[in-house]
Amino acid sequence: MRWKKISDAVVRRLPLYLRVLEDAHRDGGKDLMSSQELGQRAGVSPALVRKDLAWFGEFGKQGVGYEVVFLKQELRRILNLDRVLPIAVVGVGKLGHALARYFQGRFEDDPDFNLRVAALFDADEKKFGVRVGELEVRPVSELAERARELGIKMAIIAVPAESAQQVADLCVKADIRGLLNFAPVKLVVPEGVRIANADVSLELQRLAYYLEG
Amino acid sequence: MRWKKISDAVVRRLPLYLRVLEDAHRDGGKDLMSSQELGQRAGVSPALVRKDLAWFGEFGKQGVGYEVVFLKQELRRILNLDRVLPIAVVGVGKLGHALARYFQGRFEDDPDFNLRVAALFDADEKKFGVRVGELEVRPVSELAERARELGIKMAIIAVPAESAQQVADLCVKADIRGLLNFAPVKLVVPEGVRIANADVSLELQRLAYYLEG
């Protein structure tokens, strides 16, 4: 890894900055953007924008701001999004199906969006061959083989809680390095494999805390 | 709000602890759980478990551990999950539909799961009257009225980016205090309204950073 010491809190903000720059670029216009504006649009302080970006190089000029196109390209490179990244969806129930369609749509609508759902897997043979857009659901037993063929390094896990760890183990064996987990369960993976939890129940339960009692 | 000064980082971990205790209770067995075990199952250090819980009272006994049933009930009370919380889903496209079904299923399967999708809204009149489980999609113009009737204080926003702010404004007017936002856009809301972002694209883009370059 290229920038080992950088905290995940910094990394989490980079896609936000990238989105602000992509939106600004798409809306036409601005060649330059100040850290004030970038911060405001991303919901962080200008000082934090400058500090975060300084980890990766000198992108801005004092009193001038950041070149939108240049910084956008640099962030895409830093995030490995300067190429199309193929993704597997494992578990094509209601949620997996919706997520696959969602990402297919994002990819079709936005030429800048480089995350592409490239394969769908399920353990239920009744689902084998079902089409979602241009893709067919394949048996999860083919995961490693297909991941190798297609260069898949990231997967979305959308299976029930009780199968999620087993699926994560299969993904690790298939040399997949990033897992976005929708199952309401904590996955155990070896070092070098990253998990992001997209556990909607947990998020709602956290929000409930803030409701007046 | 009852515990104003407690950081969101602490609050985020409470639903994890609750889940560990619920799982332990459901699997039958244990009356007591040590902070070691609770921490290990939740993926945090025992010291952090003790520190987090100490914000809310004295729940454990030195050398004995926590009473599973008691701590579970206390956490549910702290998180406002000791009653059924009705939730609105706004935007019943593929993703909103899948989320509504997912939560209906969780609620049916698990008597402890107190988050209940109670109303569905969309702006597209072709969707009005469409059934998802026991619910019918209603016009989003009825949001405030229905939220008041049903006591809805939380909503899931599953509309396209370009409508998300407008929907958030409607939710705020309807006195909804917690928003789980799936749209890839930063929402602006007044103080006192909480947003959780469930932006799957951002999470995947963050994971991409960790792929070897």
Coordinates of all heavy atoms in Angstrom, one line a residue, chain A residues 96-151:
Chain A
G96 N -29.7 -7.5 -2.6 CA -28.7 -7.7 -3.6 C -29.1 -7.3 -5.0 O -28.3 -6.6 -5.7
H97 N -30.3 -7.7 -5.3 CA -30.8 -7.3 -6.7 C -30.9 -5.8 -6.8 O -30.5 -5.2 -7.8 CB -32.2 -7.9 -6.8 CG -32.8 -7.9 -8.2 ND1 -33.4 -6.8 -8.7 CD2 -32.8 -8.9 -9.2 CE1 -33.8 -7.1 -10.0 NE2 -33.4 -8.3 -10.3
A98 N -31.5 -5.1 -5.8 CA -31.6 -3.7 -5.8 C -30.2 -3.0 -5.9 O -30.0 -2.0 -6.6 CB -32.4 -3.2 -4.6
L99 N -29.3 -3.5 -5.1 CA -27.9 -2.9 -5.2 C -27.3 -3.1 -6.5 O -26.6 -2.2 -7.0 CB -27.1 -3.6 -4.1 CG -27.5 -3.2 -2.6 CD1 -26.8 -4.1 -1.6 CD2 -27.1 -1.7 -2.4
A100 N -27.4 -4.3 -7.1 CA -26.9 -4.5 -8.4 C -27.5 -3.6 -9.5 O -26.8 -2.9 -10.2 CB -27.1 -6.0 -8.9
R101 N -28.8 -3.4 -9.4 CA -29.5 -2.5 -10.4 C -29.0 -1.0 -10.1 O -28.8 -0.3 -11.0 CB -31.0 -2.6 -10.2 CG -31.6 -3.7 -10.8 CD -31.4 -3.7 -12.4 NE -31.9 -2.5 -13.0 CZ -31.3 -1.9 -14.0 NH1 -30.1 -2.3 -14.4 NH2 -31.8 -0.8 -14.5
Y102 N -28.9 -0.7 -8.8 CA -28.5 0.7 -8.5 C -27.1 1.0 -9.1 O -26.9 2.0 -9.7 CB -28.4 0.8 -6.9 CG -27.8 2.1 -6.4 CD1 -28.5 3.2 -6.4 CD2 -26.5 2.1 -5.9 CE1 -28.0 4.4 -5.9 CE2 -25.9 3.2 -5.5 CZ -26.7 4.4 -5.5 OH -26.1 5.5 -5.0
F103 N -26.1 0.1 -8.9 CA -24.8 0.3 -9.4 C -24.7 0.3 -10.9 O -24.0 1.0 -11.5 CB -23.8 -0.6 -8.8 CG -23.4 -0.2 -7.4 CD1 -23.9 -0.9 -6.3 CD2 -22.6 0.9 -7.2 CE1 -23.5 -0.4 -5.0 CE2 -22.3 1.4 -5.9 CZ -22.7 0.7 -4.8
Q104 N -25.5 -0.6 -11.5 CA -25.6 -0.6 -13.0 C -26.1 0.7 -13.5 O -25.5 1.3 -14.4 CB -26.5 -1.8 -13.5 CG -25.9 -3.1 -13.3 CD -26.9 -4.3 -13.7 OE1 -28.1 -4.1 -13.8 NE2 -26.3 -5.5 -13.8
G105 N -27.1 1.3 -12.8 CA -27.6 2.6 -13.2 C -26.6 3.7 -13.0 O -26.5 4.5 -13.9
R106 N -25.9 3.7 -11.9 CA -24.9 4.7 -11.7 C -23.9 4.7 -12.8 O -23.4 5.7 -13.2 CB -24.2 4.5 -10.3 CG -25.0 4.8 -9.1 CD -25.1 6.3 -8.7 NE -23.9 7.1 -8.8 CZ -23.2 7.6 -7.8 NH1 -23.5 7.4 -6.6 NH2 -22.1 8.4 -8.1
F107 N -23.5 3.5 -13.1 CA -22.4 3.3 -14.1 C -22.9 3.8 -15.5 O -22.1 4.4 -16.2 CB -22.0 1.8 -14.1 CG -20.7 1.6 -14.9 CD1 -19.5 1.8 -14.3 CD2 -20.8 1.2 -16.2 CE1 -18.3 1.6 -15.0 CE2 -19.6 0.9 -16.9 CZ -18.4 1.1 -16.3
E108 N -24.1 3.5 -15.8 CA -24.7 3.9 -17.1 C -24.9 5.4 -17.2 O -24.6 6.0 -18.2 CB -26.0 3.2 -17.3 CG -25.9 1.8 -17.7 CD -27.1 0.9 -17.4 OE1 -28.2 1.5 -17.2 OE2 -27.0 -0.3 -17.4
D109 N -25.3 6.0 -16.0 CA -25.6 7.5 -16.1 C -24.4 8.4 -16.0 O -24.4 9.5 -16.4 CB -26.5 7.8 -14.8 CG -27.8 7.2 -14.9 OD1 -28.2 6.6 -15.9 OD2 -28.5 7.2 -13.9
D110 N -23.3 7.8 -15.5 CA -22.2 8.7 -15.1 C -20.9 8.1 -15.6 O -20.4 7.1 -15.1 CB -22.2 8.8 -13.6 CG -21.0 9.7 -13.1 OD1 -20.2 10.2 -13.9 OD2 -20.9 9.9 -11.9
P111 N -20.3 8.7 -16.7 CA -19.1 8.1 -17.3 C -17.9 8.2 -16.3 O -17.0 7.4 -16.5 CB -18.9 9.0 -18.5 CG -19.7 10.3 -18.3 CD -20.8 9.9 -17.4
D112 N -18.0 9.0 -15.3 CA -17.0 9.1 -14.3 C -17.0 8.0 -13.2 O -16.1 7.8 -12.4 CB -17.0 10.5 -13.5 CG -16.3 11.5 -14.3 OD1 -15.5 11.2 -15.2 OD2 -16.5 12.7 -13.9
F113 N -18.1 7.3 -13.2 CA -18.4 6.4 -12.1 C -17.7 5.0 -12.4 O -18.3 4.3 -13.2 CB -19.8 6.2 -11.8 CG -20.1 5.5 -10.5 CD1 -20.0 6.2 -9.3 CD2 -20.5 4.2 -10.4 CE1 -20.3 5.6 -8.1 CE2 -20.8 3.6 -9.2 CZ -20.6 4.2 -8.1
N114 N -16.6 4.7 -11.8 CA -15.8 3.6 -12.2 C -16.0 2.3 -11.5 O -15.2 1.3 -11.6 CB -14.3 4.0 -12.2 CG -13.9 4.6 -13.6 OD1 -14.7 4.5 -14.5 ND2 -12.8 5.2 -13.6
L115 N -17.0 2.2 -10.6 CA -17.3 1.0 -9.9 C -18.4 0.2 -10.8 O -19.5 0.7 -11.0 CB -17.9 1.3 -8.5 CG -16.9 2.0 -7.6 CD1 -17.7 2.5 -6.4 CD2 -15.8 1.1 -7.2
R116 N -18.0 -0.9 -11.2 CA -18.9 -1.7 -12.1 C -19.3 -3.1 -11.6 O -18.4 -3.9 -11.4 CB -18.3 -1.8 -13.5 CG -19.0 -2.7 -14.4 CD -18.6 -2.6 -15.8 NE -19.8 -2.5 -16.7 CZ -19.8 -2.1 -17.9 NH1 -18.6 -1.9 -18.5 NH2 -20.9 -2.1 -18.6
V117 N -20.5 -3.3 -11.3 CA -21.0 -4.6 -10.9 C -20.7 -5.6 -12.1 O -21.3 -5.4 -13.2 CB -22.4 -4.7 -10.5 CG1 -22.9 -6.1 -10.2 CG2 -22.6 -3.9 -9.2
A118 N -19.8 -6.6 -11.9 CA -19.4 -7.4 -13.0 C -19.8 -8.8 -12.9 O -19.7 -9.6 -13.8 CB -17.9 -7.3 -13.2
A119 N -20.3 -9.2 -11.7 CA -20.7 -10.6 -11.5 C -21.7 -10.7 -10.3 O -21.5 -10.0 -9.4 CB -19.5 -11.5 -11.3
L120 N -22.6 -11.6 -10.5 CA -23.6 -11.9 -9.4 C -23.6 -13.3 -9.0 O -23.5 -14.2 -9.9 CB -25.0 -11.6 -9.9 CG -25.2 -10.2 -10.6 CD1 -26.6 -10.1 -11.2 CD2 -25.0 -9.1 -9.6
F121 N -23.6 -13.6 -7.7 CA -23.6 -14.9 -7.2 C -24.6 -15.2 -6.2 O -25.0 -14.3 -5.4 CB -22.2 -15.2 -6.6 CG -21.0 -15.0 -7.5 CD1 -20.3 -13.8 -7.5 CD2 -20.7 -16.0 -8.4 CE1 -19.3 -13.7 -8.4 CE2 -19.7 -15.9 -9.3 CZ -18.9 -14.7 -9.3
D122 N -25.1 -16.4 -6.1 CA -26.0 -16.8 -5.1 C -25.8 -18.3 -4.8 O -25.3 -19.0 -5.6 CB -27.5 -16.6 -5.5 CG -28.4 -16.4 -4.3 OD1 -28.7 -17.4 -3.7 OD2 -28.8 -15.2 -4.1
A123 N -26.3 -18.8 -3.7 CA -26.2 -20.2 -3.3 C -27.4 -21.0 -3.7 O -27.4 -22.2 -3.7 CB -25.9 -20.3 -1.8
D124 N -28.5 -20.3 -4.0 CA -29.8 -20.9 -4.3 C -29.9 -21.2 -5.7 O -29.9 -20.3 -6.6 CB -30.9 -19.9 -3.8 CG -32.3 -20.5 -4.1 OD1 -32.4 -21.6 -4.6 OD2 -33.2 -19.7 -3.8
E125 N -30.0 -22.5 -6.0 CA -29.9 -22.9 -7.5 C -31.2 -22.4 -8.2 O -31.1 -22.3 -9.5 CB -29.8 -24.4 -7.6 CG -30.9 -25.2 -7.1 CD -30.6 -26.7 -7.2 OE1 -29.4 -27.1 -7.3 OE2 -31.6 -27.5 -7.3
K126 N -32.2 -22.1 -7.5 CA -33.4 -21.5 -8.2 C -33.1 -20.1 -8.8 O -33.7 -19.7 -9.7 CB -34.6 -21.3 -7.3 CG -35.2 -22.7 -6.9 CD -36.6 -22.5 -6.3 CE -36.6 -21.9 -4.9 NZ -36.1 -22.8 -3.8
K127 N -32.0 -19.5 -8.3 CA -31.6 -18.2 -8.8 C -30.6 -18.2 -9.9 O -30.4 -17.2 -10.6 CB -31.1 -17.3 -7.7 CG -32.1 -17.0 -6.6 CD -31.9 -15.7 -6.0 CE -32.9 -15.4 -4.9 NZ -32.2 -15.6 -3.5
F128 N -30.0 -19.4 -10.1 CA -28.9 -19.5 -11.2 C -29.5 -19.2 -12.5 O -30.6 -19.7 -12.9 CB -28.3 -20.9 -11.2 CG -27.7 -21.3 -9.9 CD1 -27.3 -22.7 -9.7 CD2 -27.4 -20.4 -8.9 CE1 -26.8 -23.1 -8.5 CE2 -26.8 -20.8 -7.7 CZ -26.5 -22.2 -7.5
G129 N -28.9 -18.3 -13.3 CA -29.4 -18.0 -14.6 C -30.3 -16.8 -14.6 O -30.6 -16.2 -15.7
V130 N -30.8 -16.4 -13.5 CA -31.7 -15.2 -13.4 C -30.9 -14.0 -13.9 O -29.7 -13.8 -13.5 CB -32.2 -14.9 -12.0 CG1 -32.9 -13.6 -11.8 CG2 -33.2 -16.0 -11.6
R131 N -31.5 -13.2 -14.7 CA -30.8 -12.0 -15.3 C -31.1 -10.7 -14.5 O -32.3 -10.5 -14.1 CB -31.2 -11.7 -16.7 CG -30.8 -12.9 -17.7 CD -31.0 -12.5 -19.1 NE -29.9 -11.6 -19.5 CZ -28.7 -12.1 -20.0 NH1 -28.5 -13.4 -20.0 NH2 -27.8 -11.3 -20.3
V132 N -30.1 -9.9 -14.2 CA -30.2 -8.6 -13.7 C -29.5 -7.7 -14.6 O -28.2 -7.7 -14.7 CB -29.6 -8.5 -12.2 CG1 -29.9 -7.1 -11.7 CG2 -30.3 -9.5 -11.3
G133 N -30.2 -6.9 -15.4 CA -29.6 -6.1 -16.5 C -28.9 -7.1 -17.4 O -29.5 -8.0 -17.9
E134 N -27.6 -6.9 -17.6 CA -26.9 -7.7 -18.6 C -26.2 -9.0 -17.9 O -25.6 -9.8 -18.6 CB -25.7 -6.9 -19.2 CG -26.3 -5.8 -20.2 CD -25.1 -5.0 -20.8 OE1 -24.0 -5.3 -20.4 OE2 -25.4 -4.1 -21.6
L135 N -26.4 -9.1 -16.6 CA -25.7 -10.1 -15.9 C -26.6 -11.3 -15.5 O -27.8 -11.1 -15.3 CB -25.0 -9.6 -14.6 CG -24.0 -8.5 -14.8 CD1 -23.5 -7.9 -13.5 CD2 -22.8 -9.1 -15.6
E136 N -26.0 -12.5 -15.4 CA -26.7 -13.6 -15.0 C -26.2 -14.1 -13.6 O -25.0 -14.1 -13.4 CB -26.5 -14.8 -15.9 CG -27.7 -15.1 -16.8 CD -27.4 -16.3 -17.7 OE1 -26.6 -17.2 -17.3 OE2 -27.9 -16.3 -18.8
V137 N -27.1 -14.5 -12.7 CA -26.7 -15.0 -11.4 C -26.0 -16.3 -11.6 O -26.5 -17.2 -12.3 CB -27.9 -15.2 -10.5 CG1 -27.4 -15.7 -9.1 CG2 -28.6 -13.8 -10.3
R138 N -24.8 -16.4 -11.0 CA -24.0 -17.7 -11.1 C -23.9 -18.3 -9.7 O -24.1 -17.7 -8.7 CB -22.6 -17.3 -11.5 CG -22.4 -16.5 -12.8 CD -22.8 -17.2 -14.0 NE -22.2 -18.5 -14.2 CZ -22.6 -19.5 -15.0 NH1 -23.7 -19.3 -15.8 NH2 -22.0 -20.6 -15.1
P139 N -23.6 -19.6 -9.7 CA -23.4 -20.3 -8.4 C -22.2 -19.8 -7.6 O -21.2 -19.5 -8.2 CB -23.2 -21.8 -8.8 CG -23.5 -21.9 -10.2 CD -23.4 -20.6 -10.8
V140 N -22.4 -19.6 -6.3 CA -21.4 -19.0 -5.5 C -20.1 -19.9 -5.6 O -19.0 -19.4 -5.3 CB -21.9 -18.7 -4.1 CG1 -22.1 -20.0 -3.3 CG2 -21.0 -17.7 -3.4
S141 N -20.3 -21.1 -5.9 CA -19.1 -22.0 -6.0 C -18.1 -21.6 -7.1 O -17.0 -22.0 -7.1 CB -19.6 -23.5 -6.2 OG -20.4 -23.5 -7.4
E142 N -18.6 -20.8 -8.0 CA -17.8 -20.3 -9.1 C -17.1 -19.0 -8.8 O -16.4 -18.4 -9.6 CB -18.6 -20.1 -10.4 CG -19.2 -21.4 -10.9 CD -20.1 -21.1 -12.2 OE1 -20.1 -20.0 -12.7 OE2 -20.7 -22.1 -12.7
L143 N -17.3 -18.5 -7.6 CA -16.8 -17.2 -7.2 C -15.3 -17.0 -7.5 O -14.9 -16.0 -8.2 CB -17.1 -16.9 -5.7 CG -16.6 -15.6 -5.1 CD1 -17.2 -14.4 -5.8 CD2 -16.9 -15.5 -3.6
A144 N -14.5 -17.9 -7.0 CA -13.0 -17.7 -7.1 C -12.6 -17.7 -8.5 O -11.8 -16.8 -9.0 CB -12.3 -18.9 -6.3
E145 N -13.1 -18.7 -9.3 CA -12.8 -18.8 -10.7 C -13.2 -17.5 -11.5 O -12.4 -16.9 -12.2 CB -13.5 -20.0 -11.3 CG -13.1 -20.3 -12.7 CD -14.1 -21.4 -13.3 OE1 -14.8 -22.1 -12.5 OE2 -14.3 -21.4 -14.5
R146 N -14.4 -17.0 -11.3 CA -14.9 -15.8 -12.0 C -14.2 -14.6 -11.5 O -13.9 -13.7 -12.3 CB -16.4 -15.7 -11.8 CG -17.2 -16.8 -12.2 CD -17.4 -16.9 -13.7 NE -18.2 -15.7 -14.2 CZ -18.1 -15.3 -15.4 NH1 -17.3 -15.8 -16.3 NH2 -18.8 -14.2 -15.8
A147 N -13.9 -14.5 -10.2 CA -13.2 -13.3 -9.7 C -11.8 -13.2 -10.4 O -11.4 -12.1 -10.7 CB -13.0 -13.4 -8.2
R148 N -11.1 -14.3 -10.5 CA -9.8 -14.4 -11.1 C -9.9 -13.9 -12.6 O -9.2 -13.0 -13.0 CB -9.2 -15.7 -11.0 CG -7.7 -15.7 -11.0 CD -7.1 -17.1 -10.7 NE -7.6 -17.6 -9.4 CZ -8.3 -18.8 -9.3 NH1 -8.6 -19.5 -10.4 NH2 -8.7 -19.2 -8.1
E149 N -10.9 -14.5 -13.3 CA -11.1 -14.2 -14.7 C -11.3 -12.7 -14.9 O -10.8 -12.0 -15.9 CB -12.3 -14.9 -15.3 CG -12.1 -16.3 -15.8 CD -13.4 -17.0 -16.1 OE1 -14.4 -16.3 -16.4 OE2 -13.4 -18.2 -16.0
L150 N -12.2 -12.1 -14.1 CA -12.7 -10.8 -14.3 C -11.8 -9.7 -13.5 O -12.1 -8.5 -13.6 CB -14.1 -10.7 -13.8 CG -15.1 -11.5 -14.6 CD1 -16.5 -11.6 -13.9 CD2 -15.3 -10.9 -16.0
G151 N -10.9 -10.2 -12.7 CA -10.1 -9.2 -11.9 C -10.8 -8.6 -10.8 O -10.6 -7.4 -10.5

